[in-house]
């Protein structure tokens, strides 16, 4: 029997097609299994029809999940990128532009407006980088592929509840591959715990409503223990004595800069448990305020 080139090409495609169909069928079965859990959690059937009917497995999500680069950046280089002169200047301009709105939430909580602005700037470059993934599909992909499945399953149910509650449309709910959402990059359970309705319209729109964004940042910091009137810390000379409630952080090792930090620095770490991140927020806040 002679096999033509065309016949060989077709034969090689069949197994791939069968595998794709098998994967699609398993993903659909997974979504249907999720439906009962989501209904029990309070997600309405209409939301589930729309969300589970349009959810897709996203291979690029798993590529990013499995190929996260090991963090080897020096502290000096990290600051050059995260606390760049451009970000400082932009932060100063946006704080001036949004001062009244930020102060509406920050002043009663005793949180510096520059700290709110710094978190906004670092998390989403002042609302310009929200992530390109539809959150429900991204989270469903992670759970389906058993990547930190218990954690991301909780996030997926929370995301469905957020849509069900009318805070954001399904396809407008964009975020990172791991489900960090909106201008303050809250994961869904953080949204449930800390997102705030800044303008009283009944929605917590951290994607497009700056009042909700600023109210949510302030609410997070206030709820996790921000102490009004206390600075986050400052750079100190090596060997400088510090108070008993302060911690010295040396992000570049024993020969690099040293920072004496307070309880409010540890509050910032509740947002992201990285000394690099916490110091960047504090330093960017100081530079923005220095205007």
């Amino acid at each position: 029997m002679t096999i033509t080139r065309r016949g060989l090409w077709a034969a090689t495609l069949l197994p791939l097609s069968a595998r794709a169909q098998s994967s699609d069928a398993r993903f659909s079965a997974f979504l249907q299994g999720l439906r009962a859990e989501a209904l029990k959690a309070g997600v309405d059937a209409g939301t589930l029809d729309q969300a589970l009917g349009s959810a897709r497995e996203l291979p690029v999500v798993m590529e990013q999940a499995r190929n996260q680069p090991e963090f080897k950046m020096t502290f000096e280089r990290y600051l050059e990128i995260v606390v760049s002169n451009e970000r400082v200047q932009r932060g100063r301009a946006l704080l001036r532009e949004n001062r009244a709105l930020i102060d509406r939430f920050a002043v009663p909580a005793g949180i510096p407006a520059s700290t709110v602005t710094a978190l906004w700037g670092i998390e989403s470059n002042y609302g310009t980088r929200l992530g390109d993934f539809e959150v429900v599909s991204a989270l469903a992909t992670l759970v389906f592929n058993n990547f930190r499945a218990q954690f991301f399953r909780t996030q997926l149910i929370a995301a469905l509840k957020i849509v069900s509650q009318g805070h954001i449309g399904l396809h407008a709910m964009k975020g990172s591959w791991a489900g960090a959402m909106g201008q303050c990059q809250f994961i869904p359970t953080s949204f449930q715990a800390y997102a705030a309705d800044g303008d009283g319209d009944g929605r917590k729109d951290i994607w497009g409503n700056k009042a909700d964004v600023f109210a949510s940042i302030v609410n997070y910091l206030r709820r996790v223990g921000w102490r009004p009137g206390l600075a986050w810390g400052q750079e100190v000379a090596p060997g400088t004595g510090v108070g008993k409630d302060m911690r010295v952080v040396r992000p570049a090792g024993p020969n690099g800069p040293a920072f004496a930090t307070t309880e409010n620095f540890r509050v910032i770490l509740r947002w992201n448990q990285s000394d690099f991140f916490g110091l960047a927020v504090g330093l960017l806040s100081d530079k923005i305020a220095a205007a």
Side-chain angles (χ1 to χ4, degrees):
M1 178 179 176
T2 302
I3 301 177
T4 65
R5 180 176 298 179
R6 180 178 178 181
L8 181 62
W9 176 79
T12 60
L13 280 184
L14 285 174
L16 291 173
S17 175
R19 285 198 296 272
Q21 290 176 2
S22 174
S23 179
D24 288 346
R26 288 187 295 107
F27 188 68
S28 295
F30 155 72
L31 293 176
Q32 288 309 308
L34 182 74
R35 183 184 181 89
E37 183 180 347
L39 282 168
K40 187 176 180 180
V43 183
D44 67 277
T47 295
L48 289 172
D49 289 342
Q50 182 189 20
L52 303 185
S54 63
R56 298 290 181 268
E57 185 180 6
L58 304 176
V60 67
V61 167
M62 294 313 303
E63 291 173 14
Q64 295 204 25
R66 290 168 175 156
N67 294 286
Q68 298 174 66
E70 184 179 353
F71 192 81
K72 295 181 178 179
M73 192 180 298
T74 66
F75 179 63
E76 181 180 21
R77 179 58 180 153
Y78 180 82
L79 286 187
E80 287 177 0
I81 296 171
V82 178
V83 191
S84 65
N85 288 333
E86 179 183 1
R87 182 163 285 168
V88 171
Q89 296 303 321
R90 183 70 175 144
R92 289 173 177 172
L94 287 170
L95 177 53
R96 288 193 298 270
E97 180 181 319
N98 295 279
R99 185 81 199 214
L101 185 58
I102 295 173
D103 280 352
R104 183 193 304 173
F105 312 108
V107 169
I111 298 170
S114 60
T115 300
V116 177
T117 306
L119 279 162
W120 182 37
I122 290 174
E123 286 293 7
S124 66
N125 198 28
Y126 305 113
T128 64
R129 297 176 186 168
L130 309 187
D132 298 322
F133 295 97
E134 291 201 6
V135 168
V136 168
S137 287
L139 293 174
T141 297
L142 292 165
V143 179
F144 175 66
N145 285 278
N146 202 33
F147 184 87
R148 297 181 62 194
Q150 183 175 356
F151 173 78
F152 284 115
R153 193 178 192 93
T154 300
Q155 300 308 317
L156 176 54
I157 296 295
L160 291 168
K161 291 178 76 171
I162 291 165
V163 175
S164 179
Q165 292 162 356
H167 297 296
I168 189 71
L170 174 67
H171 301 297
M173 181 188 265
K174 294 292 184 70
S176 73
W177 66 265
M181 310 182 304
Q183 297 190 35
C184 41
Q185 290 289 279
F186 283 174
I187 58 173
T189 52
S190 291
F191 180 101
Q192 289 182 314
Y194 303 113
D197 176 9
D199 62 357
D201 67 353
R203 299 170 62 227
K204 300 171 183 177
D205 178 6
I206 62 171
W207 293 265
N209 186 319
K210 285 193 290 188
D212 292 358
V213 172
F214 301 146
S216 297
I217 292 172
V218 167
N219 191 48
Y220 190 109
L221 294 175
R222 180 184 60 82
R223 291 275 303 280
V224 299
W226 186 273
R227 292 173 56 184
L230 182 67
W232 68 269
Q234 62 181 359
E235 186 171 0
V236 294
T240 301
V242 298
K244 66 177 182 178
D245 294 328
M246 302 186 79
R247 178 170 73 94
V248 176
V249 176
R250 297 180 178 276
N255 298 318
F259 298 86
T261 63
T262 71
E263 180 61 31
N264 279 347
F265 176 77
R266 292 184 282 281
V267 167
I268 295 170
L269 294 184
R270 293 284 300 276
W271 187 294
N272 182 322
Q273 294 180 357
S274 159
D275 283 345
F276 279 25
F277 175 88
L279 291 169
V281 171
L283 293 169
L284 180 57
S285 173
D286 289 350
K287 287 177 180 290
I288 291 171

